[in-house]
Amino acid sequence: MKTTTFFEDKLAPYKDQLLHHPLYHKLNSTEAIQTFMEYHAFAVWDFMSLVKALQRKLTCTELPWIPVGSPATRRLINEIVWGEESDVDQFNQPTSHFELYLKAMEEVGANTAPVKKLVAKIENGSAWEIAVSEASIPEEIKSFLNFSLKTATQAPVHVVASVFNYGREDLIPDLFIAIIKDMAQEKGTDFGTLVYYFERHIEVDSGEHGPMAKQMIQELCGDNSQLWDQANDAALEALKKRIALWNFIHSKI
């Protein structure tokens, strides 16, 4: 049976671009961090739709309950959902990673209005396609959201799993956290929640969710070469979309 190492060599150059992107070296002021967060917040938000799409496709979310799919994949995705949707903050209070990020934005002084407005419009009944299309946000952000949300709502489960796996926050290097810590110390600014968010997300992604997601892809693709090729293509597209997002944010700072 194949594993994700089947296509990871092809993805390595793109992951390397992200890990060594010049964006990180521009995050040397509070204003730069604010700009980064205001755009990155949309990626933090739409990521949860990939997580929940996997839960809906791999477990039973209807009533009455019936066993769906593999118990192994059910356990994997439920553990991931638990960690993403109901983790704890640095004070051991329950929170989703998106809500934690909003708290970090407020702490840093970043503008949360655009992403909150988009979420509120969907909460009030707008279709996500219309909400994104009508949102007062750059086209580059809309393109990123459209890719993630179309994947979550329309793609087969092995493709969703691949995009989820290769679009995670472990693509952000330790260098980024070190830059934030150094700047906070130098300027006497409190970036505690932001540092916690990235440290926690990277810890969970690399230590727990990464291996789980790779195992999930292996379970879903099995011995089917066509499914593996599709997972490969989806992973590549996810990395390209993240690079495009990073390029855009880099241009705005």
Side-chain angles (χ1 to χ4, degrees), residues 127-140:
W128 72 261
E129 297 93 336
I130 295 173
V132 170
S133 174
E134 295 180 348
S136 299
I137 56 178
E139 290 301 318
E140 291 84 353

Side-chain angles (χ1 to χ4, degrees), residues 130-229:
I130 295 173
V132 170
S133 174
E134 295 180 348
S136 299
I137 56 178
E139 290 301 318
E140 291 84 353
I141 302 301
K142 291 182 181 181
S143 175
F144 187 89
L145 290 172
N146 281 323
F147 168 73
S148 298
L149 295 176
K150 281 181 181 177
T151 299
T153 57
Q154 300 175 19
V157 65
H158 62 287
V159 168
V160 179
S162 190
V163 171
F164 164 79
N165 184 53
Y166 292 99
R168 292 174 296 107
E169 300 291 28
D170 68 342
L171 297 171
I172 294 177
D174 292 339
L175 166 68
F176 178 45
I177 297 175
I179 289 172
I180 295 173
K181 284 182 174 179
D182 289 345
M183 186 175 63
Q185 185 173 9
E186 178 183 334
K187 297 181 180 295
T189 308
D190 183 10
F191 289 165
T193 303
L194 179 60
V195 170
Y196 176 84
Y197 168 85
F198 280 112
E199 287 185 332
R200 178 64 178 155
H201 221 299
I202 291 169
E203 173 193 358
V204 170
D205 277 357
S206 59
E208 300 171 22
H209 294 178
M212 286 181 185
K214 289 180 180 180
Q215 184 180 343
M216 190 187 306
I217 294 170
Q218 185 171 329
E219 291 261 353
L220 293 170
C221 293
D223 293 322
N224 190 317
S225 295
Q226 183 179 4
L227 298 187
W228 278 108
D229 288 340

Side-chain angles (χ1 to χ4, degrees), residues 11 14-15 18 166 235-243:
L11 304 179
Y14 299 93
K15 294 183 75 172
L18 286 164
Y166 292 99
L236 184 60
E237 187 66 17
L239 290 171
K240 287 180 177 179
K241 288 293 185 183
R242 178 65 74 121
I243 291 170

